[in-house]
Amino acid sequence: MSAVAHFRSVVVDCPDPRELARFYARLGGGTPEDDDPDWVVLRLPGGPRLAFQRSPGYTPPEWPRSDRNAQQFHLDFDGGATWEEIDAAEERVLALGARVLDKEDYEKKDFRVYADPVGHPFCLCRIAHD
């Protein structure tokens, strides 16, 4: 079956597109294209294009709730193959302004859940590099 369209971007609503694009550039690499204060594009090296659009009245999701203002999406990032690499990545994302959303069962999961500076969930995943 042929595709109807080709994937282009993940678009993230937020109060300040430039600020959030800079956060994700420090997290995943790339340089934000920020000529427009209401729409900023970030091309992640080896990954998708993320776009950030200004959303007046933005309200962050209430993770992990699903009964009201539920998360609409989350992003997964490869944080490394070992727990030492994940610990180091966690330290860095917290320094960038992220916050931990889920500390429960850290040792039983292959991922850790955080919120970006405006509340969007994202994960650092432990990925075996073969």
Side-chain angles (χ1 to χ4, degrees):
M1 177 191 278
S2 66
V4 172
H6 297 281
F7 178 75
R8 178 167 168 80
S9 304
V10 172
V11 180
V12 180
D13 290 350
C14 59
D16 184 339
R18 286 180 172 159
E19 184 178 319
L20 195 57
R22 284 192 291 266
F23 170 83
Y24 279 102
R26 290 188 298 267
L27 175 61
T31 302
E33 300 167 8
D34 63 355
D35 296 336
D36 181 346
D38 294 326
W39 179 266
V40 177
V41 173
L42 174 63
R43 297 177 198 284
L44 293 170
R49 175 182 131 133
L50 291 178
F52 303 88
Q53 70 180 359
R54 186 175 308 281
S55 177
Y58 168 81
T59 303
E62 296 178 42
W63 190 91
R65 294 185 72 136
S66 62
D67 59 336
R68 67 170 197 228
N69 202 28
Q71 72 172 345
Q72 292 82 36
F73 72 95
H74 76 270
L75 302 172
D76 285 345
F77 289 88
D78 179 345
T82 67
W83 287 117
E84 292 77 18
E85 290 172 307
I86 297 294
D87 289 342
E90 176 176 271
E91 186 176 316
R92 293 179 67 190
V93 299
L94 295 177
L96 292 174
R99 70 181 194 283
V100 175
L101 286 180
D102 183 10
K103 280 199 151 204
E104 190 174 318
D105 298 332
Y106 256 26
E107 67 281 352
K108 294 180 184 176
K109 299 176 185 172
D110 282 339
F111 60 90
R112 294 183 184 170
V113 185
Y114 307 88
D116 69 22
V118 300
H120 296 294
F122 72 92
C123 296
L124 291 177
C125 302
R126 187 170 59 95
I127 307 292
H129 300 143
D130 299 325

